[in-house]
Amino acid sequence: LDCPADRFEILDISPTAQAAEVGVQQVLEGKAAALVKGWIHTDELMRPVLRHLRTRRRVSHVFIADLPDYHKLLFITDAAINIAPNLTTKAAILQNAIDLARVLGVTTPRAAALSSVELVKPSIPSTLDAACLCKMAQRGQITGAVVDGPLAFDNAISREAATVKRIESPVAGDVDILLAPDLVAGNILAKNLEYLAGSTL
C-alpha cells in the first residue's frame, strides 16, 4: 500500500492492557475514529471499551470474511463477545450486523440464522431461535434485512445445496450475514474459513 509511515502518530505503549486504555482514551478525545484490534487478547481490549465507550446497544462482534470462492463479503457474528446468547441477545447481535453491513454499502443484507439443520426441531434450541428471529424480522422487530432460518451452513452458502434439500429461500446462495448459534460455533466457522478456505478476515 502507498501509505507513508509518518502519516500516523505511533505510540509505543506496554503492556497491552495499558495500550488498550490509551487507545480508548484517544477515541474519547477525538484523536482516533476507530479502534483496531491487533495482537491483543479480546478481554484486554474490551475492558476499557465497555467502561468508557459502551452505549445502550448490545456490544457484539463481526468477522468480515473475503473468500476467493464466494461472490461477496461474508459477515460472521458473533464470534468473540457473546458466549451463549439467548433469543433477545441474538436479535441485538443480528441487528448490529445488519446495520454494519448497511454502513459498508450492502443495501439490503441477506441474513441466515444458522443451526445444524434447516428444520425447526424443538430438541435443537438454535432452530427455535432462528425461526423466531425470522418472524421478528417479518414483524419489524429486526429491520433492514431479509432474514431466513434455521439454515445449515451448506444451504445458506449454496443455492444448489438448498435446491437439493428442496428449500425455497431468498437467502440461500446469496447470504451476506451468518448468525452463529453461539460464540464457539461462530469462532470455529470463521477460523475454518480462514485456514482451510483461504479467507481473509
Side-chain angles (χ1 to χ4, degrees), residues 7-86:
R7 179 179 171 186
F8 304 101
E9 180 184 7
I10 297 174
L11 305 177
D12 185 7
I13 298 168
S14 61
T16 52
Q18 182 61 28
E21 291 281 356
V22 171
V24 167
Q25 193 60 40
Q26 294 278 304
V27 172
L28 291 172
E29 294 173 2
K31 296 177 181 177
L35 286 173
V36 178
K37 180 182 179 294
W39 193 82
I40 182 175
H41 290 293
T42 300
D43 59 337
E44 285 186 315
L45 175 65
M46 291 309 298
R47 284 189 195 106
V49 168
L50 293 175
R51 248 193 335 267
H52 301 296
L53 297 179
R54 193 170 193 171
T55 69
R56 293 183 178 182
R57 295 186 66 155
R58 183 84 187 190
V59 175
S60 61
H61 173 273
V62 180
F63 270 122
I64 302 178
D66 186 4
L67 287 149
D69 293 326
Y70 194 65
H71 59 284
K72 56 184 175 179
L73 296 176
L74 274 178
F75 296 74
I76 302 166
T77 191
D78 179 338
I81 303 294
N82 296 281
I83 297 170
N86 60 21

Side-chain angles (χ1 to χ4, degrees), residues 135-178:
K135 184 55 69 175
M136 292 170 76
Q138 289 175 7
R139 298 286 166 86
Q141 292 173 271
I142 298 169
T143 61
V146 177
V147 180
D148 197 9
L151 289 173
F153 177 76
D154 59 341
N155 44 63
I157 208 79
S158 167
R159 193 177 302 279
E160 181 181 356
T163 300
V164 168
K165 292 187 177 181
R166 299 180 181 177
I167 299 168
E168 293 185 13
S169 169
V171 171
D174 197 29
V175 68
D176 298 286
I177 298 169
L178 297 172

